[in-house]
Amino acid sequence: MGKVFVSNHPLIAHKLTSIRNKDTSTKDFRALVHEVAMLMTYEVTQDLPLADTEVQTPLTLTKGKQLAGKEVVLVPILRAGLGLLEGILKMIPDAKVGHIGLYRDEKTFKPVEYYYKLPTDAAERQVILVDPMLATGGSASAAISFIKQRGVKRISLMCLIAAPEGIKVVQDAHPDVDIYAAALDECLNECAYIVPGLGDAGDRLFGTED
Ligand code: PRP
Ligand code: URA
């Protein structure tokens, strides 16, 4: 079974409280999501393979480490996953980026796909799938299935807030995928929103709420 990592880092907890606050402006919400994405990148990359190398310091030649293999592929789920992308790229600037367009049908809560684009050599790379909200798990599960169809073997999922229901759906369908969340919330409400959550991540990021 893939691991489920839930952050207990004070900086992430502090910023997440402001992200949840309904009075946080779009500008601040975006900036905070960006910052938490940077911090979560530290966690989601903890198992990246390293290779030995040598480095000449001003004093001597010494041993060092460097990332091994091809750079990772970041795959935000549109739209809200885009809010995390720049923060992760700050930490992994050479990463390639794919995109998966999915939205939840308002009545069935099932994901509806509208766009897929991955780098051609994605199968040779580790993929980090990025979406702030893991609610029913339908969107993440569908996205992972698509990525696997392209031959990718190593996939991690990074989100801000996960619901227990979403974690179960992803783990049942994709037991090989590690899940990294900044917080684990209580449940879903009757509209399949995460409670307490942060509301609609896409609307809050892009200022499109009513
Ligand atoms: C949100 C969120 C996830 C999805 C999670 O997207 O960004 O992609 O819901 O819900 P699930 O786990 O129940 O599938 P939304 O459909 O609101 O689209 P948007 O990002 O374009 O706003
Ligand atoms: N999508 C969101 O943006 N928020 C939720 O709480 C659930 C799905």
Side-chain angles (χ1 to χ4, degrees):
M1 186 64 76
K3 76 175 137 192
V4 177
F5 172 92
V6 180
S7 171
N8 59 6
H9 196 287
L11 280 179
I12 291 180
H14 178 84
K15 290 175 192 295
L16 206 50
T17 302
S18 300
I19 288 173
R20 291 182 190 277
N21 187 335
K22 68 179 179 52
D23 294 325
T24 295
S25 68
T26 300
K27 171 172 162 282
D28 290 345
F29 185 91
R30 211 178 274 152
L32 286 158
V33 167
H34 178 97
E35 290 167 13
V36 173
M38 287 173 65
L39 294 169
M40 285 296 293
T41 304
Y42 177 79
E43 308 292 1
V44 81
T45 53
Q46 62 185 242
D47 294 328
L48 284 185
L50 288 172
D52 293 328
T53 186
E54 284 187 333
V55 59
Q56 178 73 52
T57 78
L59 303 179
T60 185
L61 186 66
T62 188
K63 291 183 175 141
K65 301 279 183 192
Q66 62 186 14
L67 293 172
K70 291 197 169 186
E71 296 287 346
V72 302
V73 183
L74 309 177
V75 182
I77 300 182
L78 307 178
R79 301 173 287 170
L82 291 175
L84 299 164
L85 181 64
E86 287 303 319
I88 307 172
L89 280 171
K90 273 258 186 312
M91 297 289 107
I92 323 177
D94 291 329
K96 297 209 170 192
V97 180
H99 293 87
I100 294 184
L102 290 173
Y103 68 87
R104 287 200 318 181
D105 182 276
E106 284 181 4
K107 292 202 175 65
T108 65
F109 311 130
K110 297 277 182 232
V112 181
E113 61 189 64
Y114 60 89
Y115 188 76
Y116 283 135
K117 183 83 179 176
L118 291 187
T120 47
D121 61 355
E124 299 161 43
R125 298 169 184 268
Q126 174 165 348
V127 165
I128 302 175
L129 179 65
V130 181
D131 193 333
M133 309 306 278
L134 179 60
T136 66
S139 303
S141 221
I144 293 166
S145 295
F146 169 74
I147 293 166
K148 284 183 173 173
Q149 278 167 25
R150 294 287 305 271
V152 178
K153 297 279 182 291
R154 292 170 297 145
I155 305 171
S156 301
L157 169 63
M158 184 207 284
C159 53
L160 289 187
I161 302 184
E165 295 90 331
I167 289 179
K168 182 168 183 341
V169 164
V170 170
Q171 282 196 317
D172 286 351
H174 304 289
D176 51 331
V177 170
D178 293 335
I179 301 172
Y180 294 82
L184 174 61
D185 274 12
E186 287 162 26
C187 58
L188 301 179
N189 69 9
E190 62 286 359
C191 299
Y193 271 79
I194 299 177
V195 181
L198 53 74
D200 189 302
D203 281 347
R204 294 199 64 193
L205 271 168
F206 298 109
T208 48
E209 68 270 29
D210 297 328

